[in-house]
Amino acid sequence: KKYSNAIFTMQSAFYYHNLTDVIPDKEYLALKSDSTKIKDDRIKVIYYQYKFFEIGKSTMKVNNVSIQIYDKERMLIELIRNRKAMSFDYYKEIISNYREIKDSLNTKKLAEYIEEEVELPEGVTIEWAGLSGMNDAVFPDIVWSFIAACAVLFIFLLIHFRTGCHGGACDR
């Protein structure tokens, strides 16, 4: 309530989302870059540009208190972006826990966040692949293989029935 515009992020969000059992030494809060500074030793503030601040904002109940917190998809992006600022063991623990919940993550939302939030160098693009992308790539080959298999089968049948070798008896 005291910091109503703040959103829980980083170590606090990882902890509240049960991605780590490490209790943060401070509360990690996100604020817009033009916000008033918070002078409280118990709080670590991370400032975001306005266009990135709202991305992934959600609410959750912690000890019967509703808090604003970045969702797991946004926090995965933040984890990867900030991996060098944390210990390897801490990063590894969180990544391992993400692997366990990977099927529950919203990949469409994750893709949208990446497109909105990640600034790519000029000339660099992101392409999404996976089963549907692979299917699109190999489908023409499958169709041509099927047509070729049907043609070969047709030729064998044509040769077989032209020689009169049907019904088990051959006319020679």
Side-chain angles (χ1 to χ4, degrees):
K1 297 264 184 199
K2 187 174 182 180
Y3 306 111
S4 59
N5 294 330
I7 303 172
F8 282 91
T9 189
M10 296 308 294
Q11 282 84 334
S12 297
F14 295 134
Y15 179 73
Y16 293 138
H17 283 304
N18 295 314
L19 294 165
T20 180
D21 57 3
V22 176
I23 300 170
D25 56 342
K26 297 180 179 197
E27 291 294 347
Y28 285 73
L29 300 177
L31 290 173
K32 294 176 190 169
S33 56
D34 61 352
S35 298
T36 305
K37 298 208 181 292
I38 295 175
K39 295 176 183 168
D40 187 332
D41 292 338
R42 300 169 296 165
I43 296 172
K44 168 75 174 156
V45 178
I46 299 170
Y47 294 96
Y48 290 99
Q49 294 176 21
Y50 182 79
K51 64 182 180 178
F52 302 132
F53 182 72
E54 298 286 328
I55 298 171
K57 180 176 153 184
S58 64
T59 58
M60 120 185 307
K61 289 255 186 194
V62 175
N63 299 327
N64 282 337
V65 175
S66 186
I67 63 168
Q68 295 184 102
I69 187 169
Y70 287 125
D71 60 24
K72 291 177 185 177
E73 290 81 4
R74 165 71 186 259
M75 291 313 304
L76 179 57
I77 294 168
E78 295 301 327
L79 176 68
I80 293 167
R81 180 186 296 163
N82 294 288
R83 69 187 176 276
K84 292 184 180 176
M86 54 185 72
S87 75
F88 177 74
D89 290 336
Y90 184 69
Y91 174 80
K92 189 171 122 183
E93 175 194 11
I94 296 169
I95 282 291
S96 295
N97 287 325
Y98 265 112
R99 284 189 184 120
E100 291 178 21
I101 63 163
K102 68 182 182 296
D103 294 333
S104 70
L105 294 174
N106 185 332
T107 53
K108 285 186 179 183
K109 191 188 291 187
L110 189 58
E112 287 172 15
Y113 292 173
I114 290 172
E115 288 173 14
E116 291 176 27
E117 189 173 334
V118 177
E119 293 181 21
L120 299 172
E122 189 175 329
V124 175
T125 60
I126 295 176
E127 289 187 29
W128 293 95
L131 191 54
S132 63
M134 187 176 74
N135 288 346
D136 292 344
V138 300
F139 186 72
D141 293 336
I142 293 171
V143 169
W144 283 113
S145 298
F146 178 73
I147 291 170
C150 288
V152 168
L153 182 60
F154 177 75
I155 291 169
F156 280 130
L157 290 174
L158 187 65
I159 292 170
H160 178 72
F161 285 109
R162 277 188 150 219
T163 60
C165 292
H166 47 78
C170 289
D171 306 330
R172 291 201 194 232

